[in-house]
Amino acid sequence: MNGGNGGRGEGGEVAAGVGKGKEAGAGVALEWRFAQVFGERATGEEVQEVDIISAIEFDKSGNHLATGDRGGRVVLFERTDTSDHGINRRDIEKMDFSTRKHPEFRYKTEFQSHEPEFDYLKSLEIEEKINKIRWCQTANGALFLLSTNDKTIKFWKVHEKKVKKISDMNVDPKALMGNGSIRNLNNDFSFPPEGIPSLRLPAVTSHETSLNARCRRVYAHAHDYHINSISNNSDGETFISADDLRINLWNLEISNQSFNIVDLKPQNMEDLTEVITSAEFHPTHCNLLAYSSSKGSIRLIDLRRSALCDSHAQLFEEPEIPGSRSFFTEIIASISDIKFSKYGRHILSRDYMTVKLWDINMNSGPVATFQVHEYLRPKLCDLYENDSIFDKFECCLSGDGQRVATGSYSNLFHVVGCAPGSTEATTLEASKNPMRKQVQTPSRPARSLGSLTRVVRRGSESPDVDANGNSFDFTSKLLHLAWHPTENSIACAAANSLYMYYA
Amino acid sequence: MSMVDEPLYPIAVLIDELKNDDVQLRLNSIRRLSTIARALGEERTRKELIPFLSDNNDDDDEVLLAMAEELGVFIPYVGGVEHAHVLLPPLETHCTVEETCVRDKAVESLCRIGSQMRESDLVDYFIPLVKRLAAGEWFTARVSACGLFQIAYPSAPDMLKLELRSVYNQLCQDDMPMVRRSAATNLGKFAATVEPAHLKSDVMPMFEALTQDDQDSVRLLAVEGCAALGKLLEPQDCVAHILPVIVNFSQDKSWRVRYMVANQLYELCEAVGPEPTRTDLVPAYVRLLRDNEAEVRIAAAGKVSKFCRILSPELAIQHILPCVKELSSDSSQHVRSALASVIMGMASILGKEATTEQLLPIFLSLLKDEFPDVRLNIISKLDQVNQVIGIDLLSQSLLPAIVELAEDRHWRVRLAIIEYIPLLASQLGVGFFDDKLGALCMQWLQDKVYSIRDAAANNLKRLAEEFGPEWAMQLIVPQVLEMMTNPHYLYRMTILHAISLLAPVLGSEITCSHLLPVITNASKDRYLFPAFTCDLSSAQLDLMTDPRSYVDRVPNIKFNVAKVLQSLVPIVDSSVVEKTIRPCLVELNEDPDVDVRFFANQALQSIEHVMMSS
């Protein structure tokens, strides 16, 4: 089914009927409930710039969640309701399905990942803001993650460290202070074969543990432009980092060298027409990676083909509609985020106006297009004036690949069913009462160009007001959100607050 | 807190610092672990120290790494081989940490200890350890397990051997690519300990599974296993099992895999024998030489000589040489550079006739390459060709290449060619050198870049060694001394440096008669200028009129004079020291500049020292 031909949008109602016959999960719209909020803002409280969340990421198991903020901090949350916390598995199975608890998280720890810096050679300030966080393979009960700001990637280990108490020393520590310099042991000092009984080993007692975050490696000085993405490879030993013009390949264990695999920088910077906006490795194929561009295209590259991947294996692009070109065409086409689906069959992309789902086996056009900001089309001029048009909204897919979610203005986010025949389309507000603002729109938000005119008309009827009569607030935008890898649970950031919802 | 006897105090501190908050102090203590063990005695080392260390698995990586290393040689301190097994528990925990270098060191130490352990202890302690690690919850333990089978397997009874083989098979199919990579890396070593009967039935299926892994990084390592396994198998088995794999690998979709094949292929030729080499490996290698990916061609080109050495000259000429010709005009400079660094080695393999007819044109075209590294690589291996066809055929093209490199705008290129000049001189002979290259060597002494001037001075010394003092006296010394009049003090410093290097080679006589006067002159300016108006001795007048008697006011020159004079003391006769060197240093020792006085004083003291001892 090709989303570009309008077939899906037009058939929305018909498809809804089909959807009901299907098992729950795909066809039926989810009912979202508020689960938790961290860092809720009191009314009237002013948000500190450094507290604004700039990255959210669940780990592979879904037992941990990390957020990064503009102040360079990384905050970790851990799940508290998992079965390995002493509850017998059989007991869970006996429990009524409907009373199953939703994922619940608690604050685990936080650490300062990046500090503001100044590049004296280039006379540039480097912000501490965390641009991306990616979880790595856990080992020995310790958590590992990569975090990056504009220039520097860091590899962190967070683990429980025993708090040690040392007692029973040979030498009084106070006495040692004065004579600490005596360290030259005579080499031909002969010990009796049975040893010296008066010497003893210090006794170590440890009762409690404390969480300790340690920076294990720093991958620096490899990017001339701002890093927008980092992504782990399925081989467990490499990752990529992408800036505006280049993508570099790193080995996790080697921080002093990286390989450049994509380089868009033209000989003459005036010839520059396109920049990299996001990049991600395929979840299972170690040789594939996708990157998106400011021109709205996605390129799939195959690392097997050659060492320098300037030529792509596949190009995903929507053909331009003749005559529709305007000053804003290229700006709103710019892709702000791409995500692979769990098994790598699909790629989800977000541009200013829409979310698009692509099948990696079909590069002629997206399999589905979901309108997100169509009602803003008449106001693009204003949005351009106040720079909102350059806002970079993220998107995410559910673990089962049946739904997608993305953020919007006024702290709203949208959840849309993307399975064939699904008519699900929910708008939620990042607040304790997510459904407050939601009035079910007569038909689901237009999913194709075919219904574009209708939406535009609706938008023009009330240019400054949304469907609920509220004016849009362009300062409270919900840019960052993440879907739990295995359950229907979404974490999203509204300024400094982290809201969690479940269904 | 007990008080410790005075002589034991340092060792007591050392023990306490095993748990100090400061990493550096803990590290120091760990590095002296053997001392601590000796102080405690063997029994307490076994019963107290080792368990104490085993508890310490969340220390910093540096400390764990040092500990893993120390424990590898700890058998004498725990009471000898019969107690070696007590060392296993701490190393087992080190095998599970997430830092690769610590794990690798722990595995290395375990192998070292295991190879000394008694067979019964291996069965009782070592093999269970390997099995525990292989079944570890975290991948880190399983990664380490792969490296221990080579020690565990040989001493296991048959039933256990069967189990170990199946455990290794599991590891080859582990969910985590890190474990499969480790299994692939260690497969060759493990296979070397497996009985031939099981090699085919058990190890080959593991190998085949690894060669078909989805992850490129695993297949890459399987390539390395090919050669190791190939050498263990009978030639016919190798042809039947390894050859198809390597031929497949040579056409793998991933360039990184093909790159590894290009690097390893020549090692396999011996294992499969001449006939399969001709029918399968040569075509595979030719494909790699013509690969689409430059990185693969670089690897393949770098092995041209090694590969040809295994083949008969006819095969090399028929199949490889045409590819070499193509590569010599490859679009990638790095491919040409890799080829240039090994191609000279082909001369001795192909013989005189083929070299003159076929290789020489390639050498010549590479010598004219636009990329300096290519030319440098050819020049660096000139001696290999000289032995086969003599250098005359090349010399006409060599000169322009050398001159161009000598004047390259990148100083690193100039530096590289200077380093090859002694080699060139020895190959080309005195005559050619005097005509063409002598002037270049002098020119470098006045290069703008310090490293080049420094290398040029060194070069003169090596040339003097090559051609002898008399030649140097005629062709180097006059020109070098001439340059002492250069108005820029940095160039004069270079000459001083060159003189100090040349003096030992030229010997006492020339040093006294030619070098020493120039040096002492360089130290004398302080007298001359004020003395100008006073009455001048005839000797001083001579100095004034002689252009070589340029005298120096720059302190840097003067204290370098002091340093050079000091270095000349052992070379010249003691009478010369007394008559010339010491007075000059005494003068410098009165210099207004503090540094000059310092070095002059140092030199004077060393003279005293030499005089005293002689």
Side-chain angles (χ1 to χ4, degrees):
Chain A
M1 214 180 283
N2 187 341
N5 63 13
R8 289 175 67 110
E10 296 297 325
E13 272 83 1
V14 181
V18 179
K20 272 176 198 156
K22 287 196 174 177
E23 57 180 324
V28 177
L30 295 172
E31 212 174 298
W32 290 92
R33 292 190 185 88
F34 167 77
Q36 281 172 295
V37 58
F38 295 95
E40 192 187 15
R41 206 172 356 142
T43 34
E45 184 191 333
E46 205 160 304
V47 182
Q48 296 293 313
E49 168 82 11
V50 288
D51 293 333
I52 293 176
I53 294 173
S54 55
I56 300 184
E57 186 78 6
F58 279 104
D59 75 344
K60 220 163 53 180
S61 66
N63 291 336
H64 294 94
L65 173 69
T67 64
D69 65 26
R70 294 198 186 181
R73 282 163 301 188
V74 171
V75 185
L76 302 186
F77 301 89
E78 69 183 341
R79 195 165 167 180
T80 55
D81 63 316
T82 41
S83 52
D84 52 32
H85 280 269
I87 308 168
N88 192 322
R89 189 179 162 162
R90 193 168 290 168
D91 293 339
I92 298 171
E93 281 165 1
K94 275 188 203 153
M95 281 196 289
D96 190 15
F97 183 70
S98 60
T99 62
R100 193 180 59 96
K101 285 174 82 181
H102 59 83
E104 211 168 279
F105 284 80
R106 70 165 171 232
Y107 169 86
K108 187 178 170 82
T109 186
E110 68 176 75
F111 56 90
Q112 189 72 36
S113 169
H114 287 73
E115 304 271 1
E117 281 175 85
F118 192 79
D119 182 338
Y120 292 96
L121 279 178
K122 292 179 182 154
S123 206
L124 268 179
E125 269 184 69
I126 302 167
E127 279 182 33
E128 67 272 35
K129 178 185 154 223
I130 305 293
N131 288 345
K132 278 275 156 40
I133 296 174
R134 285 290 178 266
W135 289 88
C136 301
Q137 188 60 49
T138 35
N140 298 331
L143 302 172
F144 293 88
L145 46 86
L146 288 167
S147 64
T148 186
N149 67 352
D150 285 340
K151 295 286 179 187
T152 308
I153 306 153
K154 293 185 179 177
F155 184 53
W156 291 92
K157 174 189 179 183
V158 181
H159 67 129
E160 302 258 344
K161 207 173 163 70
K162 285 185 213 142
V163 182
K164 291 193 179 119
K165 273 210 180 105
I166 316 291
S167 53
D168 215 9
M169 306 284 265
N170 288 300
V171 182
D172 193 328
K174 284 175 203 121
L176 190 65
M177 290 297 178
N179 297 319
S181 57
I182 304 176
R183 193 142 291 122
N184 39 346
L185 199 63
N186 206 344
N187 261 335
D188 39 59
F189 189 89
S190 62
F191 298 108
E194 70 281 3
I196 303 156
S198 66
L199 290 171
R200 55 171 174 249
L201 291 164
V204 183
T205 45
S206 56
H207 301 292
E208 48 201 303
T209 58
S210 77
L211 269 178
N212 174 296
R214 237 187 116 184
C215 181
R216 300 298 299 265
R217 274 178 250 284
V218 177
Y219 314 87
H221 312 302
H223 285 279
D224 286 338
Y225 306 93
H226 289 182
I227 298 174
N228 53 47
S229 314
I230 44 178
S231 175
N232 300 92
N233 191 294
S234 57
D235 66 9
E237 71 171 351
T238 54
F239 71 93
I240 49 162
S241 57
D243 67 22
D244 296 343
L245 294 180
R246 296 193 178 104
I247 300 178
N248 292 334
L249 179 69
W250 301 83
N251 187 311
L252 274 167
E253 296 194 347
I254 302 166
S255 57
N256 58 4
Q257 67 170 7
S258 68
F259 297 95
N260 179 243
I261 49 175
V262 174
D263 188 354
L264 297 190
K265 191 176 179 188
Q267 209 95 63
N268 180 359
M269 280 302 264
E270 282 165 19
D271 299 336
L272 185 68
T273 56
E274 191 170 21
V275 297
I276 299 167
T277 54
S278 173
E280 193 174 54
F281 260 122
H282 191 281
T284 55
H285 294 315
C286 62
N287 55 314
L288 293 180
L289 76 91
Y291 71 88
S292 61
S293 83
S294 57
K295 274 189 163 173
S297 53
I298 300 167
R299 287 177 178 82
L300 194 68
I301 60 176
D302 185 350
L303 298 178
R304 283 178 183 163
R305 279 204 191 167
S306 63
L308 250 178
C309 299
D310 288 341
S311 63
H312 50 82
Q314 272 203 77
L315 173 67
F316 303 92
E317 226 172 12
E318 203 162 22
E320 198 179 311
I321 302 153
S324 67
R325 199 172 173 78
S326 75
F327 174 72
F328 300 111
T329 306
E330 216 162 87
I331 300 173
I332 59 172
S334 176
I335 293 176
S336 49
D337 190 26
I338 55 169
K339 293 272 161 66
F340 271 102
S341 63
K342 192 173 184 181
Y343 300 105
R345 171 73 191 269
H346 295 98
I347 299 173
L348 186 70
S349 71
R350 170 72 207 258
D351 54 44
Y352 193 64
M353 306 300 274
T354 68
V355 178
K356 292 187 177 112
L357 190 69
W358 308 76
D359 186 326
I360 64 164
N361 298 323
M362 185 179 97
N363 55 12
S364 56
V367 287
T369 301
F370 312 103
Q371 302 294 347
V372 180
H373 279 164
E374 198 53 46
Y375 55 85
L376 293 175
R377 198 173 281 277
K379 304 209 292 188
L380 288 177
C381 260
D382 300 341
L383 293 164
Y384 181 78
E385 287 291 311
N386 65 13
D387 276 354
S388 294
I389 201 165
F390 300 107
D391 285 337
K392 303 212 176 311
F393 291 97
E394 287 180 359
C395 58
C396 56
L397 275 140
S398 63
D400 57 12
Q402 302 283 347
R403 294 176 183 82
V404 303
T406 192
S408 179
Y409 291 106
S410 309
N411 282 343
L412 295 179
F413 66 100
H414 307 279
V415 180
V416 187
C418 63
S422 169
T423 57
E424 184 178 348
T426 318
T427 301
L428 300 109
E429 187 194 18
S431 71
K432 282 188 173 172
N433 185 4
M435 308 301 259
R436 179 166 64 99
K437 287 200 173 175
Q438 199 210 348
V439 171
Q440 197 61 52
T441 39
S443 73
R444 60 198 310 246
R447 290 181 54 168
S448 70
L449 295 168
S451 48
L452 183 147
T453 45
R454 199 169 56 203
V455 183
V456 171
R457 199 176 341 107
R458 193 174 68 223
S460 60
E461 280 163 7
S462 49
D464 292 308
V465 174
D466 76 350
N468 304 310
N470 295 324
S471 58
F472 274 99
D473 178 0
F474 292 116
T475 55
S476 52
K477 49 201 169 198
L478 197 152
L479 299 177
H480 308 284
L481 78 177
W483 201 303
H484 191 279
T486 54
E487 302 195 30
N488 284 327
S489 169
I490 291 178
C492 57
N496 63 336
S497 314
L498 176 70
Y499 284 93
M500 316 264 297
Y501 301 95
Y502 72 99
Chain B
M1 301 293 165
S2 63
M3 286 325 284
V4 183
D5 307 340
E6 194 56 34
L8 287 180
Y9 187 75
I11 183 91
V13 171
L14 206 57
I15 292 175
D16 287 349
E17 282 178 354
L18 280 171
K19 288 290 170 194
N20 199 289
D21 285 340
D22 184 341
V23 183
Q24 204 50 50
L25 295 182
R26 290 204 301 277
L27 207 51
N28 285 343
S29 285
I30 291 289
R31 295 226 174 276
R32 307 292 298 272
L33 211 53
S34 54
T35 312
I36 295 175
R38 282 194 298 142
L40 291 172
E42 290 169 0
E43 186 170 345
R44 288 185 67 201
T45 298
R46 287 198 298 274
K47 291 196 174 141
E48 294 177 39
L49 181 63
I50 300 297
F52 173 81
L53 295 174
S54 306
D55 279 346
N56 194 27
N57 59 344
D58 69 343
D59 208 330
D60 287 342
D61 297 329
E62 303 94 300
V63 179
L64 294 179
L65 181 67
M67 203 192 302
E69 186 166 7
E70 293 295 327
L71 290 176
V73 292
F74 225 60
I75 292 181
Y77 307 110
V78 292
V81 170
E82 64 263 41
H83 295 291
H85 62 86
V86 302
L87 295 171
L88 302 185
L91 286 169
E92 183 176 350
T93 49
H94 292 155
C95 277
T96 63
V97 302
E98 62 284 344
E99 186 58 45
T100 312
C101 62
V102 177
R103 288 202 309 269
D104 289 350
K105 187 57 81 181
V107 168
E108 190 189 315
S109 289
L110 277 174
C111 287
R112 182 177 287 174
I113 293 168
S115 61
Q116 299 172 59
M117 280 168 74
R118 295 181 302 193
E119 195 147 300
S120 61
D121 286 346
L122 278 170
V123 176
D124 291 342
Y125 299 102
F126 199 89
I127 294 173
L129 174 145
V130 174
K131 281 160 65 182
R132 274 197 302 279
L133 286 174
E137 184 189 358
W138 301 103
F139 73 90
T140 47
R142 305 200 296 276
V143 167
S144 298
C146 297
L148 297 171
F149 278 74
Q150 43 168 322
I151 301 294
Y153 189 81
S155 51
D158 282 350
M159 276 310 289
L160 261 177
K161 280 187 171 171
L162 178 70
E163 192 185 344
L164 286 176
R165 287 196 303 272
S166 101
V167 170
Y168 204 91
N169 189 32
Q170 291 284 310
L171 292 168
C172 289
Q173 293 166 31
D174 198 277
D175 284 344
M176 299 298 252
M178 299 80 156
V179 180
R180 302 203 300 275
R181 277 196 291 274
S182 181
T185 311
N186 288 293
L187 188 64
K189 283 184 232 148
F190 174 52
T193 65
V194 173
E195 301 79 1
H198 298 302
L199 203 56
K200 255 164 82 180
S201 64
D202 291 3
V203 177
M204 285 315 290
M206 298 181 206
F207 172 68
E208 269 152 37
L210 291 169
T211 60
Q212 283 157 27
D213 203 281
D214 284 343
Q215 290 287 347
D216 294 354
S217 52
V218 178
R219 289 207 309 285
L220 282 181
L221 295 166
V223 176
E224 292 191 49
C226 282
L229 276 176
K231 284 171 189 159
L232 298 173
L233 291 168
E234 297 291 315
Q236 68 269 23
D237 289 331
C238 187
V239 171
H241 298 288
I242 306 279
L243 194 62
V245 173
I246 199 85
V247 169
N248 257 335
F249 271 151
S250 75
Q251 300 171 67
D252 197 279
K253 270 192 242 156
S254 168
W255 67 267
R256 287 168 67 199
V257 173
R258 299 199 303 275
Y259 174 91
M260 291 299 265
V261 176
N263 262 328
Q264 308 269 325
L265 199 60
Y266 72 97
E267 285 193 47
L268 213 69
C269 294
E270 282 171 46
V272 296
E275 187 52 27
T277 296
R278 192 180 66 78
T279 55
D280 292 291
L281 293 185
V282 170
Y285 185 64
V286 166
R287 265 198 305 277
L288 292 168
L289 284 170
R290 293 182 168 146
D291 200 278
N292 278 331
E293 174 56 43
E295 297 285 338
V296 178
R297 295 200 302 277
I298 292 172
K303 299 287 184 224
V304 155
S305 289
K306 278 186 173 158
F307 199 85
C308 289
R309 198 161 295 148
I310 299 159
L311 302 178
S312 65
E314 297 78 50
L315 272 180
I317 292 170
Q318 191 187 344
H319 297 286
I320 309 295
L321 205 55
C323 298
V324 169
K325 267 182 205 154
E326 289 169 29
L327 289 176
S328 70
S329 55
D330 195 280
S331 57
S332 161
Q333 60 191 36
H334 303 292
V335 175
R336 300 196 305 273
S337 176
L339 181 71
S341 65
V342 297
I343 192 175
M344 305 303 259
M346 286 181 77
S348 58
I349 300 159
L350 298 187
K352 186 168 181 180
E353 196 182 327
T355 302
T356 318
E357 278 175 22
Q358 315 253 17
L359 279 179
L360 194 60
I362 301 176
F363 296 157
L364 295 179
S365 88
L366 289 172
L367 259 183
K368 293 186 191 109
D369 200 281
E370 55 178 358
F371 187 58
D373 275 12
V374 179
R375 284 173 269 151
L376 279 171
N377 283 345
I378 288 283
I379 289 170
S380 70
K381 300 281 166 59
L382 218 51
D383 47 337
Q384 294 176 345
V385 158
N386 200 12
Q387 289 153 12
V388 183
I389 56 166
I391 209 137
D392 302 344
L393 286 168
L394 268 179
S395 57
Q396 284 317 305
S397 307
L398 262 179
L399 192 65
I402 295 168
V403 171
E404 206 176 315
L405 289 167
E407 288 164 353
D408 197 281
R409 66 195 177 87
H410 295 290
W411 65 269
R412 280 171 208 282
V413 175
R414 299 201 296 277
L415 185 62
I417 188 71
I418 294 176
E419 317 234 295
Y420 293 130
I421 287 289
L423 170 83
L424 282 170
S426 69
Q427 300 295 322
L428 295 167
V430 169
F432 185 86
F433 185 86
D434 288 350
D435 291 349
K436 315 284 180 4
L437 299 181
L440 279 177
C441 294
M442 293 302 147
Q443 185 186 319
W444 282 320
L445 280 175
Q446 307 197 34
D447 200 280
K448 283 201 201 84
V449 177
Y450 168 75
S451 298
I452 301 295
R453 297 197 301 271
D454 191 54
N458 239 318
N459 177 43
L460 291 181
K461 178 192 128 197
R462 289 168 69 188
L463 286 173
E465 283 167 352
E466 179 74 37
F467 294 144
E470 266 155 50
W471 172 86
M473 198 42 231
Q474 284 188 352
L475 283 134
I476 296 184
V477 174
Q479 298 187 56
V480 169
L481 297 186
E482 183 76 32
M483 283 186 224
M484 206 54 203
T485 60
N486 193 306
H488 200 302
Y489 84 98
L490 284 175
Y491 296 118
R492 298 200 299 277
M493 296 239 295
T494 308
I495 302 305
L496 273 179
H497 180 53
I499 290 173
S500 75
L501 289 171
L502 281 170
V505 184
L506 299 183
S508 163
E509 203 178 309
I510 299 177
T511 305
C512 295
S513 61
H514 289 85
L515 305 183
L516 204 51
V518 179
I519 300 170
T520 48
N521 282 346
S523 72
K524 273 185 186 160
D525 71 282
R526 200 163 62 90
Y527 283 147
L528 276 177
F529 286 91
F532 201 72
T533 49
C534 309
D535 60 330
L536 298 166
S537 73
S538 60
Q540 281 169 326
L541 270 174
D542 277 346
L543 284 170
M544 292 298 294
T545 46
D546 185 343
R548 255 185 286 154
S549 69
Y550 183 87
V551 280
D552 230 295
R553 276 178 297 181
V554 180
N556 295 42
I557 294 291
K558 289 196 281 191
F559 72 67
N560 272 296
V561 165
K563 284 190 198 169
V564 173
L565 286 175
Q566 183 179 348
S567 75
L568 293 184
V569 171
I571 300 165
V572 299
D573 201 67
S574 62
S575 64
V576 180
V577 173
E578 285 306 323
K579 230 171 69 194
T580 322
I581 295 183
R582 192 198 287 272
C584 183
L585 285 170
V586 169
E587 274 174 34
L588 288 171
N589 205 18
E590 307 282 310
D591 198 272
D593 188 273
V594 62
D595 293 318
V596 177
R597 291 202 304 276
F598 173 81
F599 285 106
N601 190 33
Q602 204 174 49
L604 282 170
Q605 279 176 6
S606 96
I607 290 176
E608 294 305 321
H609 194 74
V610 171
M611 293 300 170
M612 292 253 291
S613 59
S614 63

